[in-house]
Amino acid sequence: MASAIINGMPVEITPGETILEAAKKLSVKIPVLCKHPDLDATAACGICVVKIKATGRTLRACCTPIDSGMDIVTEDAELVQVRREVLELIMSKHPNECVTCARNQNCELQTLCADFDIRHMELPSLVPDIAKDTSNGTIELDPRKCVTCGRCVQVCQEKQNVWALSFLDRGIDTRIAPAGDISMAESPCVSCGQCSAHCPTGAIVECDETQKVWDKLIDPDVVCVAQIAPAVRVALGEAFGFAPGTNVTGKIYASFRRMGFKAVFDTNYGADVTIMEEGTEFVERFAHGKGALPLITSCCPAWVDFMEKYHNDMIPHFSSCKSPHEMVGALTKTYWAEREKIDPKKIFVLSVMPCTAKKWEVRRSADMSSSGYQDVDVSITTRELARMIKQAGIDFATIPEAQPDHLLGAYTGAGTIFGATGGVMEAAIRSALFLITGKNAANPNFEFTRGLKGIKTGSMQVAGKEVRIAVAHGLGNVETVLDEIRKAKAEGKEPPWHFVEVMACPGGCVGGGGQPYGVTDELRLKRAKGLYQEDGATLWRCSHDNPYVQQLYKEYLGKPLSEKSHHLLHTHYVQRPTYRR
Amino acid sequence: MTTATTPNVQEDLQRIAKKWKDKPGSLIMVLHEVQERLGCVPRNVCLELAKLIDVPVARIYEVVTFYNYFKTEAPGKHILSVCTGTACHLKGASKVLESLSKELGIKEGESSADKEFHLQSVRCVGCCGMAPVVMVNGAIHGKLKPESSGKEIVAQYRGK
């Protein structure tokens, strides 16, 4: 095997490996700013410079393949000085506003400046005078804080295929913005928030809505209700020092109660209801020929927005189901309000989501006010909840676990795996099988739906018929799937699949745009593992076995796809222009 | 909503797109032809082109705004190119630019509100012996007095 030397230590190398990757194997941490593990190196920042020992020639570790026999120095007085100068240059274009920045104490640039002892700003400040763009109400853009690393543009264009963000102008004037001096709200942006999850600084962050929640909590006339999404429970702990994937559900419930929420529900319950509705919808289409196949899932609002903008020929294939948190919101202000004899006007529903697009979804259309009031009042991200818990003076590490209110809070393992790519499909298969055959599967695990492969496919026999399934995550993977569906349609052939799941974010909601920072594939897998562990340990693995869901249909909705279900739990789709201007 | 392009322009865009569509990496060539035809590459044309050549609007804008040569707005009728090459620089090109800028009330790279003039700077135009030089619609005006050059040049072309 080929080898090279880094800091005097021999290292075995593989073809194509970069200096950065090889150094990692020796526990040598070369500092980086523009390079993100999810993305190709662009060599934009220059922090990762290293030297060839013999010649002193400097190279960028992120993008230079390590060759056999190379002798590299990654740390010495001169390199430290070079990196400090690069940081000072970056800081000369960056506002010195750390204390009031959303990324304070969680910023890659701030961390580097601290590590490299940047204590003075010697260079004249050249911070550009560009206004903040808060127009879409989900993520906000502050181009002054941009270090033009290009991560957001790469994610938006290449990973997500959305093309809302672009690099405009050049040289010192280079800035990130939607094409042609329009606002984010007028751009094709679908609010997936992957730009904010990949930004190393505070240039793109979620629109903070925590104050709206505090204002309601202090109001004695308001009945505050909270719910958390599946993926939040295995990621929030990271903000409090827990290992990624640690399930902190009970601590979150306890925190809600301390903050003053009158009822604590769980979006996982809504996921179980979604499966009842969507599973039935699938059976109607598959077994009874009522509606277009494949059926495509609709739980992900960024995907819904993307479909309405870019792929609206797929509207007939879309499940009409609302997403789980919207179902919980609608049921809170109707079913629960009626049972508890509370005026729904007084109820405030907060949903905590791993997602920035949910902020858009809560006001997406009139269907989101099916209870007569906005069904979910405010949706905050996992990151916002972490801050609220800190503000509330809760010692999250030691707070004892609590239970949810079971009426809209008890859930099955099928509900919990909604938070990972393939999870909605796996949950739907479990219940669709039951709905068609009257029996639960002997083994409820459908492994082909799991993991981080961009497009996952599989098939199974159900009552003598083959059911073909596809799962895609990361919007950049969607087009391949849709094009195959279109091709079969145009040729008058059988659809390649009968049921398709799409989640906008790579890894699904566990890798959502509103999750704690620092996401990588390793982290996505750990968080997903936390969900599958909970699924494996639950009493009920299938949504239709949830006794509270059974009670809901018996007492209130009648049966899935009933008129009442349609009114409260389903929605419509419209064609939207990619550019509003 | 963006204003639609006229049928004539539509036809030209379709012709240009057809010529280049199947050749990879030809966005710049398309933009050159569009600017030659229209004098600039405005926003509505970018939106139109995106559909015709199957390139995202964001990518088109990245290229249009990266190169100085491409304009998103039509320049004024008379194009004033102030030479800022070495000789002209030494002979006061920056003062010439300042003088024109003051006279027209616009900055370098902008057009006057009445669309009569467009002010830009260029590197050496090859008339160093006549420095400082301003090229107007391709004609050279040399040996200018930097301070009064703005008034003199604008007076010669205004209304013509």
Side-chain angles (χ1 to χ4, degrees), chain B:
Chain B
M1 285 300 288
T2 313
T3 47
T5 45
T6 63
N8 264 346
V9 172
Q10 272 281 350
E11 240 169 66
D12 284 342
L13 292 180
Q14 275 165 13
R15 178 180 51 76
I16 295 167
K18 201 173 158 200
K19 180 173 162 192
W20 295 104
K21 195 179 186 318
D22 298 324
K23 295 177 186 122
S26 55
L27 176 58
I28 290 189
M29 302 314 293
V30 171
L31 294 174
H32 268 284
E33 287 204 22
V34 170
Q35 182 150 309
E36 209 169 285
R37 163 73 179 77
L38 300 172
C40 62
V41 191
R43 182 180 170 78
N44 57 341
V45 168
C46 286
L47 292 175
E48 205 62 48
L49 267 182
K51 281 183 250 162
L52 292 171
I53 59 174
D54 199 21
V55 171
V57 178
R59 175 53 44 82
I60 296 177
Y61 249 86
E62 285 181 333
V63 174
V64 168
T65 60
F66 184 87
Y67 293 104
N68 248 334
Y69 175 81
F70 295 118
K71 313 244 175 289
T72 51
E73 277 175 43
K77 188 175 158 196
H78 302 298
I79 298 180
L80 312 176
S81 307
V82 180
C83 179
T84 55
T86 312
C88 290
H89 174 74
L90 291 171
K91 289 281 193 176
S94 59
K95 286 206 172 116
V96 174
L97 199 55
E98 202 183 297
S99 169
L100 279 164
S101 177
K102 207 172 139 197
E103 185 64 23
L104 293 167
I106 54 173
K107 282 189 282 206
E108 183 198 335
E110 291 178 351
S111 294
S112 57
D114 58 9
K115 290 278 169 194
E116 256 211 286
F117 294 96
H118 178 78
L119 181 61
Q120 62 185 30
S121 72
V122 291
R123 291 296 176 264
C124 186
V125 294
C127 307
C128 307
M130 296 164 74
V133 161
V134 172
M135 191 165 74
V136 186
N137 309 331
I140 298 291
H141 295 249
K143 305 221 168 187
L144 298 164
K145 291 188 195 95
E147 281 78 9
S148 58
S149 58
K151 268 200 168 56
E152 283 161 23
I153 290 170
V154 171
Q156 268 187 62
Y157 287 91
R158 193 180 287 288
K160 297 220 172 115

Side-chain angles (χ1 to χ4, degrees), chain A residues 518-534:
Chain A
V519 74
T520 58
D521 276 349
E522 199 187 331
L523 208 70
R524 292 180 181 101
L525 285 172
K526 282 181 182 168
R527 290 173 184 167
K529 197 176 162 197
L531 294 178
Y532 289 114
Q533 271 171 352
E534 182 175 46

Side-chain angles (χ1 to χ4, degrees), chain A residues 371-385:
Chain A
S371 63
Y373 305 92
Q374 190 171 307
D375 298 331
V376 173
D377 292 277
V378 170
S379 179
I380 62 170
T381 59
T382 313
R383 297 194 290 263
E384 288 165 272
L385 177 63

Side-chain angles (χ1 to χ4, degrees), chain A residues 171-246:
Chain A
I172 197 163
D173 296 323
T174 306
R175 63 200 161 93
I176 42 156
D181 295 305
I182 53 166
S183 69
M184 289 288 277
E186 293 163 329
S187 83
C189 176
V190 298
S191 298
C192 70
Q194 284 300 311
C195 51
S196 72
H198 286 83
C199 179
T201 72
I204 310 180
V205 297
E206 73 280 357
C207 293
D208 184 287
E209 295 183 273
T210 54
Q211 189 57 46
K212 289 182 192 168
V213 185
W214 287 126
D215 289 346
K216 294 295 174 187
L217 281 166
I218 206 171
D219 186 336
D221 293 330
V222 177
V223 179
C224 291
V225 175
Q227 55 168 318
I228 56 160
V232 173
R233 70 203 66 221
V234 287
L236 182 86
E238 290 163 32
F240 299 94
F242 289 88
T246 310

